[in-house]
Amino acid sequence: MALAGAATLAELRDAMAAACLAEEAQDLRAPETGLVMTRGRIGGDGRAFNLGEATVTRAAVRLPSGETGFAYHLGRDRPKARLAAILDAHWQAPERRAAVEAALSGIVARREQEAQAHARRTAATRVNFFTLVRGED
Amino acid sequence: MYVAVKGGEAAIDNAHRLLAQARRGDPAVPELDVAQIREQMGLLVDRVMTEGSLYDPDLAALALKQARGDVVEAVFLVRAYRTTLPRFGAALPVETGAMAVARRISATFKDMPGGQVLGPTFDYTHRLIDFALAAGGDPEPAAEAEPDSDAGQCPRVTDILGAAGLLETSPPEDGAPVGDLTREPVDYPADRALRLQALARGDEGFVLALGYSTQRGYGRTHPFVGEIRFGKVGIEFVPEELGFPVPLGAAALTECQMVNQFHGSGAVPPQFTRGYGLVFGQSERKAMAMALVDRSLRAAELGEAIVSPAQDQEFVLAHCDSLQATGFVEHLKLPHYVDFQAELELVRRLRAEHAALHEKVETPIREAAE
């Protein structure tokens, strides 16, 4: 589900097509946008405090074959949440799991590539400061 | 007090049409789209998310477009939008120690595990206007380097220092309900969690000025930047119907750990105290200012004399919200005709009494507001 959240709507559509999965599904929960309060911790590791809200979209579906799937993502993309829930439901069926994972592998590869590029660009700005002797004495 | 007025519908409609035209500017210049604002005015978008207290870059960018770039107006739009949505619940607290760090610096430790990385920063730029940007064109590609073996493993500096007992520990999680000022009005004294929520959404200029005031001596706290980090952090949420945490995605956050002059008592050996800042997006100035004010607001807890505005939590919390402040200031524009008429009558009477008392004949003055 983390993967579907990081994917674009177009990527999810491509994945559905690649795995020859049907989009037909019954809404258990029609796609809905709401808020989740994000929290931090005092000092990074102490008591929780409310940082601010984030928009979140959720959906839940049932396939004609009976499997259910759901999605919760940051943002307001309702079509994407519904499609992610459908993919999640297909993934629940053991006979289709491998096909779903194969169809999503392109997204995994893109994310991996982006993370590596980010790490390489960040590494180029790693700095070593040297303390100089001051001239007072 | 302002009063209800009638009339003016046509003028108001026309004013809003004129606003739409003014927003668009010269039609010969291409129109901005929301993605351009999100991508190229990112720090402004971050500020609107932080002060609007709503993480949604596209929405903040759209609000900025609608508000003609006015931050407080954009915050108003975002805050109004959030009131139309149901709340699904509260996320699990973010683990900033696991941040995919894009920038991480310390002014106190040269060498820390994971290293210092500058990331995309204005620091050390010359602040000379770059006229080449006016012409447009693609920038030079970012440099790349092979990450060191410890890159990406960046424990919080405060955890390292804390382990040696030199730094006070964070107040431990006690499972108490987390106060939420969007649900309950603030009761004073407010606890630290509530103060941090207020500061996180507080106006950057106001919080910055208060932080600055502590540096200039109004409630001095002798701060050092223990660490500033910026990057993406995963947000997890436990939906009621599922009962286990699901990842919602990653949000960009900036965290500042301020380390302040030591403090000790008969019972506690001397150790550094701390202030904390955490905000949406890349908002380093705001996170630093927040950490300074967080520390100064701990004056009562740490037995310091409360003598300055930045130590007075009612002063800080009641005035740090840009939307509340602008609401009360700008309401002065609304019709106050009845109030003013009453004041006018009073001044006339006082003047008449004053004149009678001094037996002076004053030249009558024509009053403009009749």
Side-chain angles (χ1 to χ4, degrees), chain A residues 35 45 53 72 76 120, chain B residues 55-56 82 146 170 241:
Chain A
L35 303 168
D45 59 351
E53 288 161 318
Y72 272 84
R76 287 167 291 123
R120 292 182 61 81
Chain B
Y55 193 90
D56 187 328
R82 72 161 278 283
E146 198 56 44
S170 302
E241 70 275 22

Side-chain angles (χ1 to χ4, degrees), chain A residues 29 34-37 39 41 43-48 50-51 53 55 70 72 74 76 120 125-127 129 131, chain B residues 53 55-56 82 86-89 91 94 116 118-119 144-146 150 170-173 179 241-242 248 257 274:
Chain A
R29 173 161 9 231
L35 303 168
V36 164
M37 176 57 93
R39 288 182 168 166
R41 288 193 179 282
D45 59 351
R47 264 195 74 195
N50 288 315
L51 174 61
E53 288 161 318
T55 53
F70 67 92
Y72 272 84
L74 288 180
R76 287 167 291 123
R120 292 182 61 81
T125 70
R126 184 161 175 162
V127 64
F129 287 114
T131 308
Chain B
S53 204
Y55 193 90
D56 187 328
R82 72 161 278 283
R87 191 189 279 182
F88 297 157
V94 288
Q116 301 208 34
L118 299 179
E144 294 192 12
E146 198 56 44
D150 65 345
S170 302
E173 181 60 76
E241 70 275 22
L242 296 173
L248 298 177
Q257 302 270 5
R274 300 162 65 178

Side-chain angles (χ1 to χ4, degrees), chain A residues 12-78:
Chain A
L12 293 186
R13 285 210 173 109
D14 290 349
M16 290 287 291
C20 301
L21 298 172
E23 281 198 31
E24 193 191 341
Q26 177 201 348
D27 282 330
L28 294 177
R29 173 161 9 231
E32 177 190 21
T33 299
L35 303 168
V36 164
M37 176 57 93
T38 67
R39 288 182 168 166
R41 288 193 179 282
I42 299 173
D45 59 351
R47 264 195 74 195
F49 68 94
N50 288 315
L51 174 61
E53 288 161 318
T55 53
V56 169
T57 300
R58 65 182 176 187
V61 298
R62 176 182 286 127
L63 300 181
S65 47
E67 296 85 3
T68 58
F70 67 92
Y72 272 84
H73 301 153
L74 288 180
R76 287 167 291 123
D77 194 338
R78 283 188 281 262

Side-chain angles (χ1 to χ4, degrees), chain B residues 83-125:
Chain B
T83 65
T84 66
L85 298 177
R87 191 189 279 182
F88 297 157
L92 299 176
V94 288
E95 177 42 82
T96 53
M99 178 183 280
V101 161
R103 168 166 169 78
R104 180 208 196 205
I105 53 161
S106 172
T108 46
F109 303 98
K110 278 191 296 131
D111 307 304
M112 26 180 203
Q116 301 208 34
V117 287
L118 299 179
T121 180
F122 293 121
D123 293 356
Y124 313 109
T125 61

Side-chain angles (χ1 to χ4, degrees), chain B residues 295-328:
Chain B
R295 173 59 186 81
S296 66
L297 287 178
R298 297 179 61 205
E301 173 199 342
L302 296 171
E304 295 161 348
I306 298 176
V307 291
S308 301
Q311 299 169 312
D312 178 339
Q313 58 161 280
E314 195 160 345
F315 179 83
V316 174
L317 301 195
H319 300 116
C320 69
D321 191 275
S322 63
L323 186 54
Q324 283 174 7
T326 208
F328 203 45

